Each structure stands twice: as C-alpha cells, then as structure tokens.
Amino acid sequence: MKTHTLLILALLSIALACNDDETSPQTTSSSTITFNMEHTWDDTTVSSNDFNTLKFANANGETMSITKLRYLISNITFTPTNGETITLEGYELIDLTNNTNLNTGILGRIPNGTYSNISFTFGFNNADNYNNNYQDLNSALWNVPGLLGGGYHYMQLEGKFIDNTTTEKGYAYHAIRAVDNSGDTQKFEDTFFTVNLGSTTISKDTTFNIAMNIAEWFKTPNTWDLNVLNTMLMPNFDAQLLMFQNGQNVFNLKSID
Amino acid sequence: MAVIICTSCTTTDDGIGDYIPTPSRLEVPTLFEENIIPPIIPSSNLQTEEGVALGKLLFFDPILSSNNTLACADCHATANAFTDPDRFSDGIDGRRGTRNAMPLFNLAWNYNERFLWDGSAFSLEQQAFAPVTNPIEMNSTWQAVVDKLKQDTTYPELFRKAFGTAGIDSIRVTKAIAQFERTLISSNSKFDQFLRGQTTLTPQELNGFDVFMDEARGDCFHCHGSDKNPLWTDNAFHNNGLDTTFKDLGLGAVTGDPADNGKFRSPSLRNLAFTAPYMHDGRFNTLDEVINHYSDGLKPSSTIDPLMKKVALGGVGLSPTDKADLKAFLLSLSDFNFTNASKSQP
C-alpha cells in the first residue's frame, strides 16, 4: 500500500527582523518546518489508492468507502517559551483525492528555540473565513453558499456506504461553520477548532508527522449513523456540531523528525 | 539615446527571413481576475497576435479536412457558443460519433488541462490533433494537411509570422488553433452584469440562484461553482446518474479504472441558451429535461457521485416553481455578446 504523505513547508511570512529583541532566546538561526500530513483508518494507513472501495467499517457498523477527502488547515502557530507567538500566514487545502496540496509553495523558516506548543486550526477562524476572497479556494469550488453564511468549507469527505436496507448510498460529510436558518435571523456557532501538537525544541530542519484518523469522524464521542446523517449536512446545524465534537479526536502527532 | 526597435528586424522583403511575433495577452475579465487564479498559458505556446489570427483562420477553414468540406467551426459554431446544435456531428462522409461536441469558451481556465468529455486530451494543443485524422470527422492525414497548407498562397507567410520562422507542421497548426481557442472568453452574461452592479435580476432568477446554491434542493454549486467562480464548472469528472449501465465508459475508458466508469467532465453552465442538446451524448434536448433528470430521473450505478441525492427516489424532487426558477437563473448565465459576430469567420 502506497503511503500518502503531503508535505507542508511552512512559511514564516512575518518579519524575522526581531533580532534586536535581546530578551528573545531564539535569535541566532532558524530552521525549515514541514508538516507531513498522513491519513489512517484507525491503525491502517489510507491513501487515494484505497478510495472507491467499500473497505472501511465505521463505529456504527456500516461498511463504507471514501471517494473524496479535502480539508483546510490554517493558522499554524508556534508559541515560544519566551517571546512572541509566531503565526504563519496562509493556509493549506489538502486534497487526498488527487494527492495534491493545492496551495503549494509555502516555504519558510522558524527561529530555532524551544516552543511550548505548536498548533494549527482545522478550517478557518471567522476572521479568515469571512474577511478574504481567496482566489485559489474559489477556483477549487471551496465556497459555502451565502444562504449558509458564506465563507469556505472546512472539509469535504464523500463516499458510499451500505445502509440498513443493504442498499448502497452516497454520503457527503461536509464540515462548515454551523448555521441555523430556522429562525428569523441566522444563528451561527463556531466549528473550527485548534489542534495542539505539544511542545518541542527546534534546532534543525524539522518535520511534524501528523495523522488524521478518518474513522474518528464517525466514532468519538458521537457514533455517527450514516443511515440518518448522510447528505444535506451543510444546512444541518446539529450535524455540524456533531462533526465539530468528533473532530477533536481526529488529529494526532505521530512523530517529529 | 534613441533605441530603435524593429519588430520584424530580420525579415527580408521576400518574406523568407525570421520574424518576431507580437505578444498578445489574454483579456482577463474583471470577475475572473478578482475571483479565480490566472489562466493557463503554456510556455511552449505563448499567445501572439499573429498566432491567434492564424489559429482563427485555420479554425474556420475546411482545408483541414480531406475533401475540404469540414472546418472546426462546422461542429463548433459561433452562434452556438462553439458547439453543434446537432446531437452528434456529421463527419465529412456523413458518419457520426457518439458524443455531443463540447462548447468552447474560457478554456484557458481549465486548470487540470483535461479536455474532451472523457479527459483524454491533456492540453488544448493535443485536443486539436485528433479531429483531423479521425475517420468519422475530418478523415485526413497530417501529411496531406501540411502539404495543402504549404501549397496555399497565404498560409506559408502567416505561419512564418506566427512562429517566427518559415515552416508548417502539425504542431504549429495545433498551436495556432489552441491560441485562438484561448481567446474565446465568455464573461458578459446577465448574471455577470448583475455581479458587476450593472443590472438587476428578476425575483424568479434570484430564487433560481437560491435553488442552485441550496444543498437540499438543487445543490448544483458543488460541481458547477457559484458567484465566486465565473467558470460555472469544476472541470472535474462525475457520474451524474444518467445510466445504470454504461455503453460509454467515459473517463473509465481513459484511465482503465472501473471506479471512473460512467464519469464525464462537468460542462460549464454558461451559455446554455445556445448549447442544446445537453449531456455528453446530447440526450436531452431542453433545459427542462436536464432539470427533470436531476430532480426526478437519477439512476443508480456503482460509480454514481455521492452528491447525487435520494437516488432511490430519482432525486430531490424539486417543486414546479423551483424548477422554473432554476431554469430562469441558468439562462441568465448566457452571454449573448459572446455569440455575436466578433468571433465569427474571418
């Protein structure tokens, strides 16, 4: 099985001209940071070669396939033990379907030193989601309809499953900012979330190997029933909250090289 | 210090020397520039004024066919947004294929550069190769075409100016045609004008746009985009539930992957007023038939796209009002300026 990895070389686009800050311990050199995004179904590695086959069993017992997986991460943040937090500008639309990262070319370096936490945002925070018009994301048809508040998707996970009548059906597990359109005014609830990778010391070019366990989207804390929740989930306020809750357990840091 | 730039400085009066073609930038519409990434122009075939003019001439010239009766434009007519109003196009011998000719516009924004319904052409240049030698289309040979062009009184000079040096071959023919095709830009529909604040939409058109963008009703936007993407297509491949079994494998015949069987490239929804019949095989004569298909006529198959909902019921079952409004919106994407005489036969 071919192991799919997506390399994200993170750009330090903020000014590194803070070398005159004599209180900062990390001023002498810097290193390239790489995010290597891997994907699993529990303990089994998943690549696009595994797509289009009913080979996965979710927590609710349905057999299912994956036909598409795209998701957005942003706000890659380095929190030093001493000094100012560094948040990288930009974002990555990771497309496992086509084995591409559509926002390639993000390259840069991070000052060497000890960081108490490194994190990223799954999706966009509200400022990033609504205040910018991203040409590359528009080109990738990543938009959320204005009826649902606009902005952009956080994830598109699609495939087929065998329902409780043994019929093959499609599902479209699309994550966006939750919106309730049932009242006179739209009610929103944030569903982006921060993924904390923990502390580390950076003294050389470093790769963070991060895994998305796709099975977790259907497992914890909410056992997802595809018979009930399969399509038309974008306007489903409650479904979006369930996705948000399950998303908390999806990512984990496997190793640092 | 005066610098004299001679744009044809190495040309001799007898027209056999080299020539420097004039670079020609694509006119990128405002809505495109604001919302999507730039067009794809291959570095091996940069746009020039002379190249575009030559490509236009070739596009409309039946000289590319073996008996000089069929031009590209015969199956890609200006008045039809460069497609064929017939379900299947007639070749020079009256033979017909099994697919509807695709319309031609905004081709430089096909970022994956997979052309034709099945993605079998990997560039516009490559696409232009096939019809010339296809027995049921122009049924010629490249050697015969090149010989005719060389013997023509005007083409040799036009090729020299388009490519800087004398010489005619199949690569230059297809490059010139591709340059012309990249200039076929449609960006002035009523909906474009609405987005630019130049007109208003009717309540019916506005509701139709809502149907288009509503995941519980039309849900057209996942494959055809939105007001943030003026292409109105993802240029990707989908099985949209036309058949339970496939006579035409589409992308699957190209990739050899059964998971791609029955998948065809999403066409743009621009200019639907001119591009009937619809679908890869032109099976639907009207937009009403198309909308009814998505609403009530979906057929299950192993590769049907997950975004096709309620397949067991035939679809989401749009109301008559939503169907009518969706049609009104879709027609607002038609660009009547595009089909006027400006792009017609030279």
Side-chain angles (χ1 to χ4, degrees):
Chain A
M1 180 182 300
K2 177 183 175 185
T3 300
H4 171 75
T5 60
L6 289 168
L7 300 180
I8 303 170
L9 296 177
L11 168 67
L12 175 59
S13 57
I14 64 170
L16 292 176
C18 52
N19 292 342
D20 56 353
D21 181 0
E22 295 179 355
T23 62
S24 174
Q26 52 252 23
T27 58
T28 56
S29 61
S30 60
S31 301
T32 297
I33 302 298
T34 300
F35 273 18
N36 175 25
M37 305 300 293
E38 300 178 8
H39 304 84
T40 67
W41 188 275
D42 291 327
D43 296 326
T44 303
T45 299
V46 174
S47 76
S48 58
N49 294 337
D50 300 302
F51 282 18
N52 302 305
T53 304
L54 289 159
K55 63 190 297 184
F56 304 108
N58 66 25
N60 200 49
E62 288 94 24
T63 300
M64 57 185 290
S65 69
I66 300 168
T67 59
K68 177 191 286 186
L69 176 55
R70 305 196 293 179
Y71 60 97
L72 186 89
I73 65 172
S74 63
N75 285 303
I76 299 171
T77 300
F78 296 79
T79 305
T81 53
N82 185 7
E84 295 182 4
T85 297
I86 300 167
T87 299
L88 307 180
E89 290 186 0
Y91 48 85
E92 299 291 341
L93 178 55
I94 295 163
D95 185 348
L96 186 60
T97 318
N98 296 307
N99 293 320
T100 56
N101 177 334
L102 299 185
N103 190 26
T104 55
I106 296 188
L107 305 169
R109 305 177 72 82
I110 290 289
N112 288 344
T114 299
Y115 293 88
S116 60
N117 189 36
I118 296 161
S119 63
F120 65 85
T121 297
F122 173 77
F124 272 144
N125 64 31
N126 294 335
D128 290 337
N129 200 23
Y130 299 120
N131 294 341
N132 297 298
N133 186 33
Y134 303 99
Q135 293 175 317
D136 57 341
L137 299 183
N138 297 339
S139 300
L141 275 61
W142 196 241
N143 307 82
V144 168
L147 292 166
L148 300 178
Y152 295 88
H153 283 77
Y154 299 163
M155 183 176 72
Q156 292 178 340
L157 171 58
E158 297 173 11
K160 307 283 184 64
F161 70 101
I162 305 298
D163 74 1
N164 50 18
T165 65
T166 68
T167 302
E168 186 174 297
K169 277 187 177 175
Y171 71 88
Y173 192 109
H174 288 198
I176 63 171
R177 189 187 187 204
V179 55
D180 181 354
N181 277 337
S182 61
D184 293 335
T185 59
Q186 289 183 317
K187 181 179 107 180
F188 290 95
E189 192 154 325
D190 293 342
T191 51
F192 65 87
F193 56 85
T194 301
V195 177
N196 294 308
L197 303 178
S199 61
T200 192
T201 296
I202 294 175
S203 58
K204 60 182 177 61
D205 291 349
T206 303
T207 297
F208 292 83
N209 296 304
I210 302 161
M212 170 197 270
N213 182 356
I214 303 166
E216 281 291 349
W217 288 111
F218 303 91
K219 188 188 292 185
T220 312
N222 308 298
T223 302
W224 195 275
D225 187 350
L226 280 173
N227 294 288
V228 179
L229 297 171
N230 44 66
T231 56
M232 294 183 277
L233 302 181
M234 291 175 69
N236 187 329
F237 181 81
D238 293 334
Q240 291 300 324
L241 296 186
L242 295 175
M243 292 182 198
F244 165 75
Q245 292 161 6
N246 283 12
Q248 309 301 313
N249 305 297
V250 160
F251 293 98
N252 66 85
L253 178 64
K254 292 181 69 178
S255 61
I256 302 174
D257 298 328
Chain B
M1 181 175 65
V3 177
I4 299 173
I5 300 174
C6 178
T7 57
S8 56
C9 53
T10 59
T11 306
T12 58
D13 289 343
D14 59 9
I16 59 173
D18 291 347
Y19 181 90
I20 301 175
T22 308
S24 175
R25 293 172 60 89
L26 277 190
E27 295 177 16
V28 178
T30 303
L31 288 173
F32 289 49
E33 196 164 325
E34 290 175 348
N35 289 303
I36 56 177
I37 57 180
I40 304 292
I41 307 292
S43 58
S44 59
N45 190 27
L46 299 177
Q47 300 284 116
T48 66
E49 291 180 6
E50 295 85 350
V52 171
L54 172 61
K56 184 175 182 179
L57 202 59
L58 290 166
F59 187 89
F60 287 95
D61 195 336
I63 196 171
L64 298 182
S65 61
S66 63
N67 61 0
N68 300 318
T69 61
L70 189 69
C72 304
D74 288 314
C75 303
H76 297 278
T78 307
N80 299 100
F82 294 90
T83 185
D84 194 331
D86 291 337
R87 181 178 182 184
F88 304 124
S89 302
D90 289 326
I92 63 163
D93 299 320
R95 285 190 285 173
R96 294 181 163 192
T98 57
R99 292 181 184 159
N100 183 240
M102 293 201 84
L104 306 176
F105 50 81
N106 302 339
L107 301 171
W109 285 268
N110 182 350
Y111 303 114
N112 295 325
E113 294 197 88
R114 298 290 297 270
F115 292 93
L116 300 176
W117 283 108
D118 59 7
S120 58
F122 289 83
S123 70
L124 266 183
E125 287 78 2
Q126 186 191 21
Q127 187 281 323
F129 267 101
V132 170
T133 57
N134 190 326
I136 63 171
E137 296 186 55
M138 294 175 168
N139 194 23
S140 189
T141 66
W142 276 109
Q143 187 59 56
V145 169
V146 169
D147 288 345
K148 282 193 288 184
L149 292 170
K150 285 180 175 176
Q151 292 162 12
D152 187 85
T153 56
T154 58
Y155 274 116
E157 175 66 357
L158 296 178
F159 272 89
R160 186 183 68 84
K161 288 190 170 179
F163 295 101
T165 58
I168 299 176
D169 60 21
S170 58
I171 293 174
R172 286 187 167 187
V173 171
T174 55
K175 279 186 172 182
I177 291 173
Q179 284 190 39
F180 167 65
E181 289 178 330
R182 290 190 175 95
T183 69
L184 301 176
I185 298 171
S186 172
S187 64
N188 199 26
S189 67
K190 182 180 182 182
F191 196 79
D192 294 319
Q193 295 167 17
F194 166 71
L195 292 177
R196 295 196 296 260
Q198 297 166 334
T199 192
T200 56
L201 297 180
T202 67
Q204 188 180 31
E205 290 165 339
L206 287 169
N207 183 57
F209 181 55
D210 285 348
V211 174
F212 184 93
M213 298 297 293
D214 187 344
E215 194 182 36
R217 291 188 287 172
D219 190 12
C220 313
F221 68 96
H222 276 116
C223 299
H224 289 285
S226 68
D227 52 332
K228 293 293 185 183
N229 187 320
L231 302 179
W232 299 103
T233 175
D234 60 0
N235 278 312
F237 300 86
H238 304 275
N239 173 350
N240 60 345
L242 290 171
D243 299 298
T244 299
T245 58
F246 313 120
K247 284 190 292 188
D248 185 342
L249 296 182
L251 179 66
V254 176
T255 64
D257 184 348
D260 290 332
N261 287 350
K263 293 183 180 179
F264 295 89
R265 188 158 69 90
S266 309
S268 173
L269 299 185
R270 277 186 178 275
N271 298 318
L272 293 175
F274 320 117
T275 59
Y278 307 104
M279 303 294 157
H280 68 278
D281 55 5
R283 69 177 66 189
F284 297 136
N285 289 315
T286 67
L287 269 184
D288 297 297
E289 291 177 62
V290 174
I291 292 170
N292 284 335
H293 164 70
Y294 285 109
S295 173
D296 313 298
L298 296 176
K299 295 174 182 169
S301 67
S302 58
T303 61
I304 190 171
D305 198 287
L307 292 172
M308 300 294 116
K309 291 180 280 293
K310 298 187 178 180
V311 178
L313 302 175
V316 294
L318 293 175
S319 70
T321 299
D322 281 350
K323 288 181 181 179
D325 292 357
L326 178 59
K327 179 182 177 183
F329 162 69
L330 292 172
L331 289 173
S332 79
L333 299 175
S334 292
D335 177 356
F336 287 81
N337 288 346
F338 181 66
T339 55
N340 71 13
S342 66
K343 301 290 185 187
S344 62
Q345 185 165 354

